[in-house]
């Protein structure tokens, strides 16, 4: 039997062996599933394996984030279904990660537009605000990064660890202001979420946390189970922290073409009656069952979509769920809605910070964890109070 020398060393230092079982990573077609299939994916989660392997690229993560981001399911459903099958102790890590999402959304509810600017600290050592060309072209020379960068641009899937590496390299090794790269990644991600994406980039860039995140080649090799050496990232952490922007990351893309085809009919001139006004982040089928006599409409706010464009695979995902709901799509401005309201339409919508300026009566969103009683600036302060 041949023994991979890398793994013999890892076993000695106690690292997890490569997964022999397949991770739950969905095939590209799986994103076009039904709600029953999504719920059955939740029921298949093994929280213990999740805990042991989530940091590895082939780990047993849930890949549920596109459904959570678009409100097809919510964190409360995920948490309660998993807790109904497994002891609470076994679910700790998964609940902890679900809490990260809720933390970002509570921050957004509270700090509103402020989350789109440096939150607590100014980003240090910034040289430019333009994304490195090698990131966009997936040509950094680091194999695992380039593969991940190609995949996210083709399909929209990207593991958390890869996102951390990409953001750490862009912000803290290529000394780039976090905003444009965050917008670039949001465009490609299938789960692009304004709060989770923006605040994760801020956490990595050190503008919402006490230090900047960086990872070196050794870290990449461990969590991707690869064995690349002699790269510009193959240095110790002291060297990495003091390193000038590597040659391969110096060339920048000064303007990125965010192509998108926005679906939807113009908002009609008149509409009498009650309308459940849904956003891109609120595609849950439950609401349909609760309010069957109301006309459900997906409203796409043009101005918002121009500010936060999304790639075609994301639009295909959204339209698939719109199709499942069997609802119409309107696209226009908030003034169009105000005009309809003045003409007798009655809107009802779910709370969501990006839609705070939309008309209508607002109902609460579901969260698994409560609102902390005391102030919190960091996730640990949040978690201490809600867990
Ligand atoms: C730079 C960067 C950008 C990110 N952008 C987004 C984004 O646009 N949308 C998004 O949903 N997440 C984002 N994340 C968080 C995280 O990467 C994804 O939520 C996770 O990879 C989704 O995969 P999963 O469903 O398999 O997660 P799992 O590990 O299976 O976790 C289950 C659920 O918990 C939540 N969750 C898990 N980890 C995190 C986390 N670190 N932060 C927030 N929520 C988490 C998600 O809703 C996820 O679906 C980003 C992280 C980084 C570092």
């Amino acid at each position: 039997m041949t023994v991979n020398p890398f793994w013999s060393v890892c076993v000695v230092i106690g690292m997890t062996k490569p997964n022999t079982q397949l991770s739950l990573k969905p095939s590209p077609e799986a994103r076009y599933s039904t709600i029953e299939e999504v719920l059955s994916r939740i029921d298949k989660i093994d929280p213990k394996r999740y805990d042991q392997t989530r940091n590895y690229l082939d780990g047993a993560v849930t890949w549920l984030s596109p459904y959570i981001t678009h409100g097809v399911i919510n964190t409360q459903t995920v948490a309660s279904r998993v807790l109904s099958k497994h002891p609470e102790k076994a679910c700790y890590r998964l609940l902890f990660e679900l809490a990260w999402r809720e933390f970002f959304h509570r921050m957004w509810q509270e700090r509103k537009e402020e989350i789109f600017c440096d939150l607590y600290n100014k980003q240090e050592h910034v040289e430019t605000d333009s994304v490195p060309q090698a990131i966009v072209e997936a040509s950094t020379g680091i194999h695992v990064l380039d593969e991940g960068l190609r995949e996210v641009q083709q399909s929209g899937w990207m593991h958390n660890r890869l996102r951390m590496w990409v953001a750490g390299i862009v912000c803290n090794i290529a000394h780039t202001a976090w905003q444009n790269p965050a917008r670039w990644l949001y465009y490609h991600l299938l789960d692009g979420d304004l709060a989770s994406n923006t605040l994760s980039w801020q956490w990595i860039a050190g503008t919402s946390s006490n230090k900047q995140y960086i990872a070196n080649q050794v870290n990449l090799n461990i969590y991707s189970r690869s064995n690349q050496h002699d790269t510009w990232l193959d240095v110790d952490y002291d060297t990495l922290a003091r390193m000038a922007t590597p040659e391969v990351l110096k060339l920048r893309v000064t303007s990125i073409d965010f192509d998108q085809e926005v679906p939807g009919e113009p908002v009609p001139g008149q509409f009498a009656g009650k309308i459940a006004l849904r956003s891109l982040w609120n595609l849950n089928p439950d609401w349909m069952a609760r309010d069957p006599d109301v006309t459900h409409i997906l409203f796409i706010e043009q101005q918002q979509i121009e500010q936060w464009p999304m790639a075609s695979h994301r639009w295909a995902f959204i339209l698939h769920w719109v199709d499942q709901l069997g609802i119409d799509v309107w696209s226009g401005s908030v003034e169009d809605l105000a005009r309809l309201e003045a003409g007798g339409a009655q809107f009802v919508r779910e709370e969501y910070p990006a839609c705070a300026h939309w008309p209508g009566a607002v109902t609460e969103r579901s969260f698994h964890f409560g609102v902390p009683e005391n102030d919190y600036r960091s996730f640990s302060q949040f978690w201490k109070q809600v867990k």
Side-chain angles (χ1 to χ4, degrees):
M1 189 179 76
T2 40
V3 177
N4 177 338
F6 174 66
W7 280 111
S8 345
V9 174
C10 296
V11 170
V12 172
I13 59 170
M15 279 167 43
T16 323
K17 275 195 198 156
N19 263 330
T20 42
Q21 278 175 290
L22 279 181
S23 84
L24 288 170
K25 188 164 185 185
S27 66
E29 299 74 39
R31 60 183 185 231
Y32 304 124
S33 46
T34 60
I35 185 65
E36 289 75 23
E37 283 162 347
V38 176
L39 295 176
S40 107
R41 287 175 63 78
I42 300 175
D43 294 340
K44 287 193 190 116
I45 294 173
D46 176 345
K48 235 170 151 187
R49 268 192 73 222
Y50 176 85
D51 178 22
Q52 290 160 354
T53 65
R54 77 168 287 274
N55 288 327
Y56 293 85
L57 296 197
D58 63 355
V61 294
T62 67
W63 299 103
L64 285 172
S65 52
Y67 311 103
I68 297 175
T69 287
H70 294 100
V72 174
I73 49 166
N74 59 43
T75 42
Q76 194 183 39
T77 306
V78 179
S80 57
R81 278 184 99 100
V82 175
L83 282 167
S84 72
K85 285 192 161 12
H86 303 273
E88 195 174 339
K89 203 167 157 217
C91 302
Y92 184 89
R93 186 68 200 197
L94 182 60
L95 293 174
F96 179 88
E97 297 304 334
L98 290 169
W100 265 102
R101 179 186 159 88
E102 296 203 357
F103 164 67
F104 288 147
H105 276 256
R106 294 293 189 197
M107 290 283 281
W108 194 14
Q109 285 177 330
E110 208 172 289
R111 307 294 296 254
K112 304 187 171 62
E113 290 298 301
E114 281 172 32
I115 69 160
F116 300 107
C117 306
D118 288 354
L119 203 55
Y120 303 134
N121 314 312
K122 225 169 131 27
Q123 187 180 343
E124 286 180 0
H125 312 301
V126 171
E127 289 169 4
T128 169
D129 61 5
S130 306
V131 186
Q133 188 164 321
I135 294 288
V136 175
E137 292 180 351
S139 59
T140 65
I142 311 289
H143 302 325
V144 62
L145 276 190
D146 291 342
E147 210 180 297
L149 288 164
R150 271 191 295 274
E151 185 174 14
V152 75
Q153 295 181 68
Q154 279 159 14
S155 70
W157 298 108
M158 190 180 242
H159 188 280
N160 179 61
R161 189 96 339 217
L162 258 166
R163 299 180 202 208
M164 291 170 70
W165 293 333
V166 169
I169 286 168
V170 170
C171 295
N172 307 327
I173 296 177
H175 306 293
T176 317
W178 60 268
Q179 288 89 339
N180 284 337
R183 189 164 176 256
W184 174 81
L185 186 64
Y186 174 92
Y187 172 82
H188 291 289
L189 286 171
L190 207 53
D191 66 10
D193 177 90
L194 289 173
S196 297
N197 186 56
T198 303
L199 290 170
S200 294
W201 278 85
Q202 294 229 39
W203 184 85
I204 300 268
T207 54
S208 70
S209 56
N210 296 332
K211 64 173 191 194
Q212 300 185 320
Y213 170 86
I214 43 172
N216 66 8
Q217 186 71 55
V218 172
N219 186 284
L220 268 69
N221 284 346
I222 292 173
Y223 293 108
S224 64
R225 306 187 195 279
S226 57
N227 202 6
Q228 196 181 2
H229 291 286
D230 302 325
T231 65
W232 49 268
L233 203 53
D234 200 8
V235 294
D236 60 43
Y237 279 108
D238 282 347
T239 312
L240 202 58
R242 284 182 279 103
M243 200 162 88
T245 300
E247 216 45 53
V248 66
L249 300 175
K250 279 191 176 158
L251 200 60
R252 306 288 168 153
V253 184
T254 43
S255 103
I256 299 181
D257 189 12
F258 291 116
D259 233 10
Q260 69 175 343
E261 239 175 79
V262 181
E265 298 292 316
V267 177
Q270 267 194 330
F271 191 98
K274 209 168 167 190
I275 298 176
L277 199 59
R278 288 164 175 271
S279 69
L280 301 169
W281 303 286
N282 177 223
L283 300 177
N284 76 75
D286 290 358
W287 190 4
M288 213 70 162
R290 269 185 281 130
D291 255 342
D293 301 330
V294 169
T295 306
H296 287 251
I297 296 287
L298 169 65
F299 176 62
I300 297 172
E301 188 185 347
Q302 280 291 344
Q303 200 190 348
Q304 211 165 58
I305 286 307
E306 279 161 27
Q307 192 182 353
W308 297 104
M310 301 186 300
S312 55
H313 46 254
R314 174 87 176 268
W315 279 112
F317 177 87
I318 291 166
L319 289 180
H320 162 75
W321 287 100
V322 168
D323 209 41
Q324 295 272 306
L325 294 175
I327 64 178
D328 287 339
V329 183
W330 292 350
S331 145
S333 67
V334 174
E335 287 70 39
D336 294 332
L337 296 180
R339 183 175 34 76
L340 270 197
E341 196 181 35
Q346 292 167 276
F347 295 113
V348 53
R349 63 180 175 83
E350 222 175 51
E351 180 277 329
Y352 199 85
C355 310
H357 56 299
W358 291 13
V362 179
T363 58
E364 290 305 310
R365 236 185 321 159
S366 294
F367 284 82
H368 180 70
F369 299 99
V371 186
E373 275 184 12
N374 300 315
D375 281 354
Y376 56 92
R377 272 169 64 102
S378 64
F379 175 75
S380 57
Q381 289 167 354
F382 174 84
W383 180 238
K384 247 187 224 156
Q385 297 186 60
V386 301
K387 75 178 175 189

